[in-house]
Structure formats: C-alpha cells, structure tokens
Amino acid sequence: MLSPHTTFRRIWDSFILLLTIYAAVETPARIVIGYPVVGWLVWSDHLLSLFFLLDVGFNFFTAIEGRGGRLIKNRRLVATHYLKGWFIIDFISAIPFELLTDFGLGLGRMARIVRLLRLLRLLRLLRLAAFMRRLGASASVSPVILRLVFLGFWIVMGAHWLACGWIAVGGCADEVEVGRRYLRSLYWAFTTLGTVGYGDITPSTNTQTLYALVIMILGAGMYGYVIGNVASLLANIDVAKAHFTEKMDQVNAFLRYREIPASLQQRVRGYYEHLWESRLGYDESSVLSELPPSLRLEISLYLNQDIIQKVPLFKGAPDEFVREIVNALKPVVFTPGDYIVRSGEVGEEMYFISRGTVEVVSPEGNSVFATLTDGQFFGEIALVTKEPRTASIRAADYCDLYMLDKSTFDRVLQNFPALYSHIRELAQTRLRSRRD
Ligand code: CMP
C-alpha cells in the first residue's frame, strides 16, 4: 500500500493536476478551433487517458486517511472508499474516447459526438476544486491569498471556455488565422464577462445574440460576486492585523469617551502594542479555552516551551510535574511601573518570569532589594509560609509572566517533595536576606 504522504505520491498527484488543467484548456479549444492535430498532439490524447487510467489504478493502492490522521491500509476498505467516492469521475475522465475515432467507429455525425465525449475529461476539475479547498484549509500560505489566486484561476478558465463557446457559435468568424480568432474571442469573453462591452465585437446571428445575452447575465452576476469576494478577501488579508486594528479603535473610542487622562491612555495603548508585538494581539487563554483538554495540554506545552527551558526549577523536573504545572499556568502581562504584588497582602499565587524585569521593592517603593528577570520566579514565600507578602514587586518594563495559583501549587508539589523543598529553601534564603 502506498502512503498518500510519500514524495512519489505527491509528485504524481501534482502531475495529474497539471494534466487535468491541460485537458481542461486543450480539449474544448481543439473541438471548436479544429486546428491540425500533428506532432506530439497526436499522442497527447492517448497519453492523457493512459495517465488518468494509471491514476485510477494507483488510487486502489493508496492508503486513505481516517479520523485523526490515522492511515487506513486495509485493501478492501481502501477500494470501497474509492469506489464510493471519486472512482466514477476518475474513471469516466480516463475513458479513451479518442480510440473510437482512431478505429474508424466515429464517422460523420458520430465523430462529432465522440469529440464532444472527450469533454467528459473536464469532470476531473471537480478533483481540482476539492484539492484547492483542502489546500486552502491546511496550507501554511495565507488562505486569503490562496483564495484570491484560485478565484483568478477560475475566472481565466471560465473566460477560456466562454471564448471557445463564442467560436463554436461562429463568433469572430471573419478572422482567418486561428490564433487571432481565439485571441479576439477571449477578448470578447473578458469584456462581456467584465460588463465592459466595448461593442467592437458584436453578435450577428440569432444564436450568437442569445449566447451573448446569456454571458452578459452571467457576467453581471459574476461581476458582483467577484467584486464582493475580492473586497472582503482583501480586507481580511491579514486577519490578525484587522482584528487588532478593530480592537484598538474600540479601546481608543472608549478612552476618549470616558476622558481618561492622557498618560493613562498612553499606558493602555502601550499594553496593546506589547500584546501585538509579543502574540499578534491574541488572548492565548481564550483561544485555548475553545480546545478539548488533550489538545489544550499539547498546545500549552508547546507554547510554554520557552518558560520550561528558562526556569531552572522546571528543567530537570519530572515530565508529570511539568505537564501538570504547564497546564495550570496562566499568561499575564504587566506594563512598566505596575505593582504585581503588594507587600502585606494575602498571597494566592506565584509568578514565573518569561520575559521582562521586575523589582523587589519596599512597601513605599523607594528602595529596591533585588531585581528578577527571565526564568526566575517570585511570590513563593506567601504560598510556602502562608504569611502575607514580604515585599512588593514592581514591573520595570513590559513583563510576560505566568501565574500559578495556590491550589495547584499545593496539589502538585505534594507529590514532588524534592521540588517543594527546593522552593522552600529559596524562600528561606530570600526571607533571611530580607531580615539581614
Ligand atoms: P512573597 O512574600 O509571596 O511576595 C513578595 C515576593 O518577593 C516574595 O514572595 C519573594 O518571591 C520575593 N522576594 C522577597 N525578597 C526577595 C529577595 N531578597 N530577593 C528576591 N526575591 C525576593
């Protein structure tokens, strides 16, 4: 069984997609323009059918992805899944109808029908559309940019088919040279679809007038659809930035309305700017709260890797300890000058510093006892001794901290006495240094 993720399978799938696009462009063009089929073009039809048939074969031997990304390799299951899914489309588009003409079966009227049957290859475009949808949902490229590219692709493809249709109804018939005829028809298709309609190419027969009418109605609808789509896609090209700008507008309007003093306004804006620079303005805990517990833990572990690496206490600690603590850590931000902890208060939590500097200060805030920075922690004395806070802690710059509440601290450290005594020793040392 082949895995759908092997390099071979990826290259093959891309190759088949390219062939699909080629077939979607060449098949209708050949039918209406009727250019001479010479050189490699003679073989192109046979090769297309051959590759499409090979693809059908490969699909019976390619494992499928079940729920949660698990690969299903059971041959029966794979075959049933394929037969119930894409098989019909893949198979019809792979039937070598051109062989009928080669064997002389398609003569006269039949020849035209056989030629039209080749259009069934276009069914494969459904596969292309599904692929684009999947790519849009999973790609690392901006999904908005991808959607714009796909929209452009379908517009160009649609205009090509309409141009072929225009030739089929006898449009631009006075152009003798086939290349120029196609180009003029394509130009007609774009101007009519775009509702520009210069009027330099006009329908003359009834069929052409009817065809032009239908395209104009289609064009009017499509124009609105495309403009609406492009406008909303462009507005969302950077979702995070758009979200953040909207948030800032709201905050600024509120600050102005409530006539908050300028210096305080500046601090609020500074906080949001820091939030933007450090995490694109997202409130991580609210994003995480929507995830199921197992995923939340995995993401927390990943996001908090830097704090696990930075805090010496976590580095050598057992995995279970890190898991439990990390799941309970809450990210909090403080701006310069903020008091994180006030001396004499009852302590309900301790903090780990991810980024930034804090000062351990006297209750009045005029003498600094110590400065703590990345990877250090504070607020543990109140949790260990159950006494009020022994000092105040003030943020010296923007600080990204992780808060650990008392109940988790007590519960987790009960099971890890060695770590508990380490924290207690540090608390004692700090207490002693304060008394000296
Ligand atoms: P806690 O008493 O809960 O709140 C104030 C915190 O400041 C205290 O816990 C310690 O974590 C920290 N702290 C107090 N004194 C010192 C010091 N001398 N050096 C470093 N940190 C200190």
Side-chain angles (χ1 to χ4, degrees):
M1 263 299 151
L2 268 172
S3 156
H5 305 303
T6 53
T7 319
F8 165 73
R9 191 62 226 209
R10 281 176 204 267
I11 294 177
W12 175 260
D13 285 344
S14 317
F15 175 62
I16 291 291
L17 283 183
L18 282 180
L19 287 187
T20 307
I21 297 173
Y22 166 79
V25 173
E26 207 269 342
T27 314
R30 192 192 297 186
I31 291 172
V32 295
I33 303 177
Y35 46 75
V37 181
V38 285
W40 66 274
L41 267 183
V42 178
W43 294 102
S44 70
D45 262 341
H46 301 314
L47 286 177
L48 267 182
S49 301
L50 178 71
F51 285 127
F52 284 174
L53 274 174
L54 274 177
D55 187 50
V56 172
F58 277 150
N59 285 338
F60 276 109
F61 294 98
T62 304
I64 46 172
E65 232 172 77
R67 282 206 188 147
R70 201 169 43 85
L71 282 188
I72 300 175
K73 292 186 174 168
N74 181 305
R75 198 160 285 177
R76 262 182 91 106
L77 285 179
V78 169
T80 332
H81 181 266
Y82 184 47
L83 284 171
K84 279 192 194 157
W86 287 106
F87 173 74
I88 291 289
I89 291 199
D90 285 357
F91 184 69
I92 293 179
S93 55
I95 300 174
F97 290 109
E98 64 282 354
L99 284 182
L100 293 178
T101 12
D102 287 5
F103 292 134
L105 283 170
L107 291 172
R109 242 192 113 121
M110 269 300 279
R112 236 197 282 146
I113 297 174
V114 168
R115 264 199 290 160
L116 284 178
L117 281 176
R118 286 170 54 234
L119 281 177
L120 286 172
R121 281 213 182 111
L122 266 63
L123 279 177
R124 271 230 164 216
L125 283 175
L126 290 173
R127 273 268 207 191
L128 183 66
F131 169 76
M132 286 176 171
R133 263 200 308 279
R134 267 205 318 277
L135 198 66
S138 69
S140 45
V141 196
S142 154
V144 181
I145 301 213
L146 266 185
R147 256 186 274 163
L148 277 175
V149 172
F150 294 157
L151 190 65
F153 170 83
W154 288 117
I155 291 175
V156 173
M157 192 60 104
H160 167 72
W161 291 331
L162 295 178
C164 290
W166 182 241
I167 297 176
V169 296
C172 300
D174 43 345
E175 302 289 351
V176 186
E177 208 253 311
V178 283
R180 187 166 161 76
R181 190 170 178 205
Y182 170 72
L183 207 60
R184 294 285 290 161
S185 302
L186 191 64
Y187 163 82
W188 173 88
F190 269 115
T191 47
T192 314
L193 262 186
T195 65
V196 180
Y198 290 118
D200 51 346
I201 301 174
T202 46
S204 44
T205 65
N206 281 349
T207 326
Q208 285 176 15
T209 315
L210 255 175
Y211 184 71
L213 254 175
V214 173
I215 306 292
M216 275 189 274
I217 295 170
L218 196 79
M222 202 194 80
Y223 189 71
Y225 175 80
V226 169
I227 296 290
N229 249 291
V230 171
S232 85
L233 285 179
L234 286 182
N236 281 319
I237 211 150
D238 190 344
V239 188
K241 184 92 202 172
H243 184 250
F244 181 71
T245 316
E246 193 187 317
K247 177 104 196 163
M248 274 324 285
D249 287 348
Q250 281 174 3
V251 171
N252 281 330
F254 167 77
L255 294 177
R256 268 196 308 273
Y257 176 66
R258 296 306 305 256
E259 294 174 2
I260 306 287
S263 60
L264 208 50
Q265 285 197 18
Q266 203 45 48
R267 283 180 61 192
V268 173
R269 278 189 211 106
Y271 162 73
Y272 278 107
E273 265 157 35
H274 172 76
L275 215 57
W276 170 252
E277 274 158 27
S278 59
R279 54 196 78 161
L280 285 183
Y282 284 114
D283 174 6
E284 279 166 14
S285 43
S286 80
V287 176
L288 287 182
S289 67
E290 288 176 12
L291 295 173
S294 56
L295 265 181
R296 198 183 319 149
L297 178 61
E298 298 272 329
I299 302 256
S300 298
L301 275 174
Y302 179 77
L303 286 177
N304 298 349
Q305 246 167 14
D306 63 327
I307 191 79
I308 298 172
Q309 292 299 322
K310 274 182 197 164
V311 179
L313 179 73
F314 292 157
K315 248 192 200 162
D319 273 358
E320 311 85 75
F321 171 80
V322 174
R323 273 179 173 265
E324 289 221 37
I325 291 280
V326 157
N327 210 17
L329 288 180
K330 288 204 177 59
V332 278
V333 178
F334 289 91
T335 60
D338 285 352
Y339 275 85
I340 305 161
V341 158
R342 293 256 184 201
S343 173
E345 278 178 1
V346 179
E348 289 294 338
E349 58 277 310
M350 68 175 289
Y351 298 85
F352 296 90
I353 307 174
S354 170
R355 213 171 351 162
T357 310
V358 300
E359 292 167 333
V360 184
V361 293
S362 59
E364 312 78 45
N366 38 20
S367 40
V368 178
F369 304 130
T371 311
L372 305 174
T373 182
D374 299 14
Q376 292 180 291
F377 56 81
F378 59 86
E380 78 294 351
I381 298 182
L383 302 194
V384 172
T385 62
K386 304 193 170 42
E387 298 285 327
R389 299 284 193 201
T390 53
S392 292
I393 304 273
R394 192 171 57 198
D397 57 15
Y398 284 105
C399 291
D400 286 319
L401 310 179
Y402 284 93
M403 192 172 83
L404 181 68
D405 62 282
K406 187 173 180 326
S407 59
T408 316
F409 176 89
D410 288 340
R411 182 171 50 81
V412 177
L413 283 171
Q414 243 177 20
N415 302 326
F416 298 93
L419 292 167
Y420 182 69
S421 59
H422 175 86
I423 295 179
R424 206 180 43 206
E425 269 165 36
L426 188 79
Q428 303 290 345
T429 321
R430 282 176 172 176
L431 264 179
R432 266 198 303 277
S433 81
R434 291 293 322 287
R435 286 192 195 119
D436 294 342

